[in-house]
Amino acid sequence: MAADAIRLSRAPLSPVRVSFEFFPPKSPEMEASLWEAINRLAPLSPSFVSVTYGAGGSTRERTHNTVARIVRETSIKPAAHLTCVAATRDEVDDVVRSYWAAGVRHIVALRGDPQGGLGTAYTAHPDGYATSTDLIKGIRRIGDFEISVSAYPEKHPESASIDADIDVLKAKIDAGATRAITQFFFENEHYLRFMDRARARGVSIPIVPGIVPVQNFRQTAGFAKKTGASVPQWLADRFEGLDDDAATRRLIAAAVAAEQVLDLVDHGVSDFHFYTMNRADLVYATCHLLGLRPRPEQEAA
Ligand code: FAD
């Protein structure tokens, strides 16, 4: 058996906690498929579900509406992503206040990408929050929110080094962040080494691995390139020749995700954040392998 093949016999799994990330829908059809995914995943009792904020604040209304509907219609706790991009501090503060008024108590606070696209220089709005650290301080002034932030096991593309990124993470924690969620990665070694370095530098908050089940290899590889996440050759090899074979790709994707999360469990990881891409099937299967089973009382309305 190849060294990196899935191991089929394992000791019983210790309990794990999961969270799910969705993006706000653009059309009634997308809204229907988002809610199908939420309804399928809600009975797995996620710690929270988060809803992203489009580049440049382009989804402000849609993110808010989605999060508010989760509050109204489900018993799961939502987290709203929020960025500093292209908005004044007053505008961002209004968004934060509207979340508080809607009953939302958890924000994923981010700087956001440069408006010119990844790879261009980031320019803060002259009257806006300049960094994620400033944003966190602003949120804290408004309400006692739980605040999650990003972390980059393979470093942020703009950052000089992983240590510089850990400095930024520490500044975000000093400002009030209580959890980090990582950019996705495929080699667990990147995450495990990052954890060692962060812990050695005194970071003690949870740093939850972000897991992306590979729904579409080409698309994921393209996205990874932009975000600085490396795509190992073994992953490309696993999807080789399957561009026109979606059914086999899905089976491979489930195997790859299972292999990744079960290896992390073996390394003592107990919390996972899934980038669902608004689809439940692969994430549901991966959670099942992690030992999670539906609890009917958590179902969305
Ligand atoms: P930060 O951690 O703030 O770091 C960005 C850079 O700022 C650093 O590399 C550093 O050079 C610089 N910096 C220097 N000093 C400081 C300081 N004191 N404090 C802070 N930064 C400093 N993007 C969206 O548009 N919408 C989303 O919903 C979204 N969700 C995401 C969720 C997760 C879990 C992750 C990992 C990323 C997400 N992103 C999202 C992407 C993110 O917006 C981009 O990666 C962006 O380029 C950086 O924002 P950040 O908050 O992650 O970066």
Side-chain angles (χ1 to χ4, degrees):
M1 182 185 272
D4 60 350
I6 297 178
R7 275 166 286 158
L8 293 175
S9 71
R10 284 175 177 270
L13 290 165
S14 29
V16 299
R17 286 175 296 270
V18 294
S19 51
F20 304 125
E21 182 171 310
F22 301 100
F23 60 85
K26 279 192 191 136
S27 64
E29 294 75 29
M30 286 171 79
E31 171 135 18
S33 63
L34 165 68
W35 278 87
E36 207 176 295
I38 293 177
N39 284 324
R40 177 95 168 113
L41 294 170
L44 297 177
S45 310
S47 312
F48 64 92
V49 299
S50 76
V51 182
T52 60
Y53 199 68
S58 55
T59 67
R60 189 178 305 179
E61 292 294 314
R62 286 187 275 130
T63 299
H64 188 277
N65 293 345
T66 305
V67 171
R69 186 171 166 192
I70 292 170
V71 174
R72 280 197 314 273
E73 297 185 14
T74 79
S75 56
I76 39 185
K77 287 186 190 160
H81 292 220
L82 184 60
T83 73
C84 312
V85 181
T88 65
R89 278 187 291 273
D90 286 348
E91 286 165 343
V92 172
D93 289 355
D94 280 348
V95 175
V96 175
R97 282 192 205 94
S98 70
Y99 278 127
W100 186 268
V104 179
R105 297 291 180 265
H106 183 177
I107 291 183
V108 181
L110 304 140
R111 184 201 68 181
D113 284 325
Q115 278 194 286
L118 287 161
T120 63
Y122 182 83
T123 315
H125 188 291
D127 299 317
Y129 288 112
T131 65
S132 50
T133 307
D134 290 340
L135 173 62
I136 295 163
K137 289 178 188 161
I139 296 168
R140 277 262 169 266
R141 278 193 289 271
I142 292 171
D144 187 18
F145 285 94
E146 183 178 353
I147 299 179
S148 295
V149 293
S150 63
Y152 296 87
E154 297 182 73
K155 94 176 182 58
H156 184 272
E158 286 169 46
S159 185
S161 66
I162 287 182
D163 278 333
D165 263 354
I166 295 174
D167 287 339
V168 171
L169 180 57
K170 286 172 71 117
K172 294 192 285 190
I173 296 166
D174 289 345
T178 52
R179 174 196 296 98
I181 301 170
T182 76
Q183 183 59 277
F184 66 85
F185 55 89
F186 296 109
E187 295 278 21
N188 287 346
E189 269 305 302
H190 291 305
Y191 170 79
L192 297 169
R193 280 204 303 267
F194 181 82
M195 290 301 289
D196 289 344
R197 288 169 82 155
R199 296 294 183 237
R201 302 266 319 272
V203 173
S204 58
I205 64 166
I207 303 177
V208 181
I211 305 292
V212 64
V214 184
Q215 317 265 4
N216 176 324
F217 176 74
R218 276 173 179 246
Q219 206 178 54
T220 307
F223 190 55
K225 206 171 171 183
K226 289 187 193 152
T227 59
S230 60
V231 178
Q233 186 56 44
W234 60 257
L235 188 64
D237 290 346
R238 284 179 191 186
F239 289 96
E240 187 190 352
L242 296 177
D243 285 353
D244 299 322
D245 184 351
T248 308
R249 275 206 317 265
R250 280 158 48 79
L251 294 172
I252 303 289
V256 167
E259 186 177 19
Q260 178 172 25
V261 295
L262 292 174
D263 180 62
L264 288 170
V265 168
D266 280 351
H267 283 90
V269 177
S270 57
D271 288 76
F272 296 87
H273 182 79
F274 287 95
Y275 295 105
T276 68
M277 317 302 275
N278 291 8
R279 293 190 49 181
D281 46 6
L282 279 175
V283 173
Y284 190 91
T286 310
C287 289
H288 187 91
L289 284 167
L290 283 169
L292 293 173
R293 298 293 179 267
R295 292 201 356 229
E297 68 270 23
Q298 288 289 325
E299 267 165 37

